[in-house]
Amino acid sequence: MRNEHNTEQADLFGNGPNAATSKLVGTEVQTVAFSLLKKIGGKSEAVRARQFLGLLRIPEGKNAGKPLKLADFQKKFVKGALAKTVMVGVLSIGRGNAKTALSAGLALGELVGALQEKPQPKREIIIAARNRDQAKTAFNFLLGFIEGLPEADRGQFIIRRGSKLEVEFEGNGGGLARVIAADGKSVLGGAPTLAIMDERAAWEREKGDSLENAILSGLGKRDGRALIISTSAPDDANTFSRWLDEPPPGTYVQEHRPPFGLPADDMESLLMANPGAVQGIGSTPEWLQSQAQRAIARGGSALTSFRNLNRNERVSTDNRSVLVTVDEWMAAEVSPEDLPDRKGPCILGVDLGGSRSMSAAAFYWPETGRLEALGTFPSTPSLADRGAADGVSDRYCQMQERGELSVMGNATVPPGQWLAQIVAHLDGIVPECIVGDRFRQAEFIETLKAAGLGHVPFIWRGFGWKDGSEDVERFRRALFDGDVKVQPSLLLRFAFGDAITVIDDAGNHKLAKGRALGRIDAAAASVLAVAQGARMKAQPKAKARMLWA
């Protein structure tokens, strides 16, 4: 194995003072056989890949120097991602399960031409990541595997660690593996036979999508293949989430993500996200559970980061301005059997949607803490098309099946008819009051009259700094004090997942969307209803006075 710095790269291509010597050395090395290829006899790429990986040695960690033995989930991914009809293999798994090491081993197999019986000459492998430092992790795994090869085989590799991180192989037709950062311009014109996109969920959106598109367009030139690996993205709109939820033809998807709503230290779901833990890869089950309990005790960003990175859950790790974290909201969820009764006065919070947007209503009973929510979309476009446009796959269709979301009207939801349907949900209960946005006061007054609710008091609230900050704080306090109980609702889960607060210089909070396509209408209606309920509970009760005649 030879090392060359950036200043020596010109010689390699016959442009420097030692050009003749470099060419001669290259010719001599070309005649040396790569010994590991003699031990590979499989026909399919998947079989050959598994045979090749079994000949490598683990480069680092507690098992460094031992032969590489694939775990069951790794065998499954190799078989699926290298199938004949597959162009893109996608793997989502918790941190520390050797996904980068696995992809680096496959990159080495492609570099030396071990994955095909008749490999293409001048193979090109791209290892891409958000930045150079992240990509170096895969590059270092590649170098580690090379260092574990027999000495005669190591002599056929040229390592460049200068301004470019590259590994060139001079045998079996030649190959070049190079590291690039998420800048689409850095790969334009390339024709990779294998591309690895490492930690795809962490890439910057515009630059990452540009690089991905450039790579995928280049794969078609030589029937190349891409491996996209990462822990879960923080939301459904992320491009990596779209690969998992809406895989195009020719895509193999393997996702190790536990069901939503389980405790962070639940062992069964921890092992679902970390299948390598029981097969000697990465963290032990006991360590994972202890870290989960530590994260639960600390709460906040520690808990959400653990869920995202170690449990591979699709939750946001940005806690600086979220309305509530996923665990804070889940603490309010109870089973239908444990849901409090509809007892006492009911407060109706309303967020009236505009053209083509959602209208949402929340029902809150302050006396028992019961909270319910319903949402409604216009019928055009369909919920399936709307979900695709919003980047949430079939989420809206699932909400409709659960009775949490309905459709009404054509391009807009008719306010009067909608509010009448919402009140009908109460089965004869007349709301104590209705709370809504004063910005649309005139429209609300017309709506109340059309729905026959003109006699019900309407409380106007603003979503700006003054009213919004008070409502957000009262809602949070009620939630944290256990005064909010709701049965599991996809509508509310994802509404609060998209809800953040914008903070001014005085520390006031107002509700806002975490992403442009987020739907926080149900969260906004809930904040209005619960905050009004908290105000009602805080008011002193009038005492009866006795008058003497």
Side-chain angles (χ1 to χ4, degrees):
M1 181 170 62
R2 290 180 287 164
N3 289 275
E4 294 191 359
H5 295 287
N6 195 42
T7 55
E8 299 172 343
Q9 290 177 5
D11 292 346
L12 190 65
F13 300 98
N15 299 320
N18 300 320
T21 304
S22 295
K23 287 183 178 180
L24 177 61
V25 171
T27 303
E28 292 175 350
V29 173
Q30 186 78 15
T31 62
V32 179
F34 193 70
S35 63
L36 295 188
L37 295 180
K38 301 176 182 179
K39 302 179 182 181
I40 300 173
K43 297 293 183 182
S44 69
E45 286 190 46
V47 172
R48 293 179 66 89
R50 287 174 57 177
Q51 291 176 343
F52 176 77
L53 292 171
L55 300 174
L56 302 179
R57 294 191 175 274
I58 300 174
E60 60 184 59
K62 56 189 177 183
N63 294 318
K66 295 181 180 179
L68 181 64
K69 184 178 180 181
L70 296 182
D72 293 338
F73 76 93
Q74 293 174 319
K75 295 176 182 177
K76 180 180 178 182
F77 179 69
V78 170
K79 181 179 179 181
L82 299 186
K84 282 186 177 181
T85 59
V86 172
M87 187 185 81
V88 179
V90 185
L91 175 63
S92 174
I93 196 169
R95 172 178 284 184
N97 282 270
K99 56 184 180 296
T100 302
L102 175 63
S103 59
L106 293 173
L108 179 58
E110 176 66 19
L111 180 63
V112 301
L115 304 188
Q116 301 89 22
E117 286 188 281
K118 297 181 179 179
Q120 297 185 39
K122 300 186 183 301
R123 296 169 297 279
E124 181 181 352
I125 297 91
I126 291 176
I127 301 174
R130 178 175 180 174
N131 53 47
R132 175 187 167 102
D133 289 338
Q134 287 183 336
K136 279 181 67 176
T137 302
F139 184 75
N140 289 335
F141 270 115
L142 181 61
L143 298 187
F145 285 133
I146 293 174
E147 290 170 357
L149 297 175
E151 184 175 353
D153 293 332
R154 293 200 303 269
Q156 300 183 62
F157 294 92
I158 300 174
I159 312 298
R160 304 188 185 96
R161 292 187 176 92
S163 59
K164 296 181 179 181
L165 297 176
E166 296 180 340
V167 178
E168 184 172 3
F169 179 69
E170 296 186 319
N172 202 21
L176 176 68
R178 58 193 181 102
V179 170
I180 60 175
D183 179 358
K185 296 179 180 179
S186 63
V187 75
L188 291 177
T193 54
L194 177 66
I196 297 170
M197 305 183 210
D198 194 19
E199 292 299 346
R200 179 65 180 90
W203 293 13
E204 293 182 29
R205 181 163 186 171
E206 292 185 5
K207 290 184 177 180
D209 289 351
S210 177
L211 174 60
E212 179 185 287
N213 293 333
I215 289 175
L216 295 179
S217 63
L219 291 174
K221 300 177 182 179
R222 302 177 65 178
D223 294 328
R225 193 186 304 269
L227 302 179
I228 305 177
I229 59 175
S230 182
T231 53
S232 274
D235 56 60
D236 294 333
N238 188 282
T239 303
F240 184 67
S241 298
R242 302 288 291 270
W243 276 107
L244 297 171
D245 298 340
E246 305 165 15
T251 303
Y252 171 77
V253 173
Q254 185 171 320
E255 184 178 21
H256 297 266
R257 178 159 59 110
F260 187 83
L262 296 174
D265 60 349
D266 177 70
M267 180 59 79
E268 183 178 354
S269 56
L270 272 173
L271 297 181
M272 188 180 300
N274 299 273
V278 295
Q279 296 186 295
I281 296 176
S283 308
T284 64
E286 294 75 21
W287 185 90
L288 287 169
Q289 194 167 48
S290 67
Q291 291 302 300
Q293 293 166 353
R294 181 191 66 83
I296 292 172
R298 292 183 61 185
S301 61
L303 183 53
T304 52
S305 294
F306 182 84
R307 284 190 174 277
N308 182 246
L309 299 176
N310 296 96
R311 288 182 58 85
N312 201 38
E313 293 186 22
R314 199 174 293 179
V315 296
S316 174
T317 56
D318 183 6
N319 293 279
R320 292 170 297 173
S321 60
V322 295
L323 178 61
V324 291
T325 67
V326 60
D327 286 274
E328 290 168 346
W329 175 250
M330 284 167 51
E333 292 187 350
V334 297
S335 65
E337 296 79 15
D338 297 329
L339 190 66
D341 296 329
R342 291 176 166 183
K343 184 180 178 181
C346 173
I347 299 171
L348 174 58
V350 178
D351 186 14
L352 197 61
S355 174
R356 296 172 63 88
S357 62
M358 180 191 289
S359 293
F363 313 89
Y364 182 59
W365 285 264
E367 188 173 320
T368 62
R370 178 177 179 135
L371 177 67
E372 302 175 14
L374 296 174
T376 304
F377 271 125
S379 59
T380 304
S382 68
L383 291 181
D385 292 341
R386 191 182 295 271
D390 287 354
V392 296
S393 189
D394 63 343
R395 179 194 297 175
Y396 299 146
C397 295
Q398 293 181 36
M399 292 179 185
Q400 185 182 39
E401 292 171 359
R402 294 165 61 100
E404 302 164 1
L405 186 64
S406 61
V407 294
M408 180 182 294
N410 188 13
T412 62
V413 176
Q417 182 183 352
W418 173 74
L419 193 56
Q421 175 181 291
I422 290 300
V423 173
H425 174 74
L426 293 173
D427 296 328
I429 299 175
V430 179
E432 182 80 6
C433 63
I434 301 175
V435 192
D437 186 3
R438 71 161 55 92
F439 179 72
R440 308 183 67 175
Q441 182 172 353
E443 189 174 0
F444 267 123
I445 292 174
E446 297 171 357
T447 300
L448 291 174
K449 291 180 179 178
L453 297 171
H455 62 287
V456 179
F458 201 105
I459 299 175
W460 308 108
R461 301 294 294 175
F463 282 106
W465 301 115
K466 183 176 181 297
D467 290 351
S469 183
E470 179 192 337
D471 289 345
V472 165
E473 185 57 33
R474 286 186 181 274
F475 171 82
R476 283 173 167 168
R477 186 180 298 124
L479 182 69
F480 300 158
D481 289 344
D483 294 334
V484 178
K485 300 296 181 184
V486 59
Q487 68 179 11
S489 165
L490 289 182
L491 176 68
L492 287 174
R493 280 180 180 178
F494 289 109
F496 281 104
D498 282 330
I500 64 170
T501 58
V502 179
I503 309 173
D504 69 1
D505 294 339
N508 298 308
H509 295 248
K510 68 175 182 180
L511 195 62
K513 292 181 179 181
R515 62 188 183 93
L517 297 176
R519 302 291 184 178
I520 66 169
D521 311 82
S526 299
V527 169
L528 291 174
V530 173
Q532 179 59 25
R535 279 188 290 271
M536 289 175 58
K537 290 181 66 176
Q539 292 176 355
K541 295 182 179 179
K543 297 182 179 179
R545 293 184 177 181
M546 185 176 294
L547 298 177
W548 296 93

